[in-house]
Amino acid sequence: MPKSKPFIDKKNASVYHLVRRSHRDVGGHYDENGEPLDVPRDFVLMPSAETQAKIDQHKEDTLQLKEQQIHQQQQQQHHQASDSEDDANDALARAKAQLKAYNLVEDYDYEKHMLPITGSGAFVSKNGHKVDPSLDLRSRSAPLEP
């Protein structure tokens, strides 16, 4: 009977050690979504030195690949831009693309919760009486200097 292939390739396997979590580590009381757990996790998997080196190398390779992709996108966008106004918009788009690649862009529109400031509100003095807005200096619009 032919020799079968082993289930685990020991030369390329990742090795982790199961260790007890420190009592000062509060991470065991919350799950991946930040929700509190009923029973805290007492153990954690720690990678061995060789596995940690592989993980670090993979992170560096991934980061370099992302930077290369961003650089290529920037070069493509730069070649497509023709006039100065487009260059400014492209620079902003490139900056946003670079921030988005690192998950640093928040696309939530906070303006939908804001009301425009019109100056039509009521002014209340220190003693609690309403004051005519036209008498208050803060309610008057000042001309902007060019």
Side-chain angles (χ1 to χ4, degrees):
M1 191 160 109
K3 193 173 187 181
S4 64
K5 192 168 137 182
F7 177 66
I8 297 175
D9 182 13
K10 292 185 180 182
K11 291 182 181 178
N12 297 325
S14 297
V15 178
Y16 291 87
H17 302 286
L18 185 66
V19 296
R20 186 172 289 278
R21 186 182 292 272
S22 170
H23 291 286
R24 291 180 276 176
D25 185 7
V26 296
H29 297 282
Y30 299 96
D31 64 1
E32 293 81 19
N33 299 326
E35 298 294 324
L37 296 172
D38 295 332
V39 178
R41 295 181 180 141
D42 292 335
F43 296 97
V44 65
L45 289 174
M46 296 291 293
S48 67
E50 296 85 19
T51 304
Q52 187 64 43
K54 288 180 189 177
I55 292 170
D56 293 340
Q57 184 62 39
H58 178 71
K59 285 182 182 179
E60 288 178 19
D61 293 344
T62 305
L63 183 62
Q64 288 176 354
L65 182 62
K66 282 185 180 180
E67 288 175 353
Q68 288 175 355
Q69 290 173 349
I70 291 171
H71 184 67
Q72 289 174 354
Q73 288 175 355
Q74 289 174 350
Q75 286 180 342
Q76 290 173 354
Q77 290 175 357
H78 183 66
H79 291 298
Q80 293 173 356
S82 58
D83 57 350
S84 63
E85 187 176 272
D86 287 343
D87 287 342
N89 291 337
D90 287 343
L92 182 61
R94 280 186 304 223
K96 281 186 179 181
Q98 190 170 7
L99 289 172
K100 195 171 247 183
Y102 293 110
N103 294 327
L104 297 175
V105 176
E106 190 174 304
D107 294 333
Y108 187 76
D109 182 22
Y110 289 100
E111 292 295 322
K112 67 182 181 181
H113 300 289
M114 303 296 199
L115 295 175
I117 298 173
T118 59
S120 62
F123 292 97
V124 180
S125 66
K126 291 180 186 178
N127 57 10
H129 298 293
K130 287 189 178 182
V131 179
D132 183 20
S134 62
L135 299 177
D136 194 346
L137 294 175
R138 294 173 290 178
S139 66
R140 296 185 183 142
S141 61
L144 298 176
E145 297 180 24

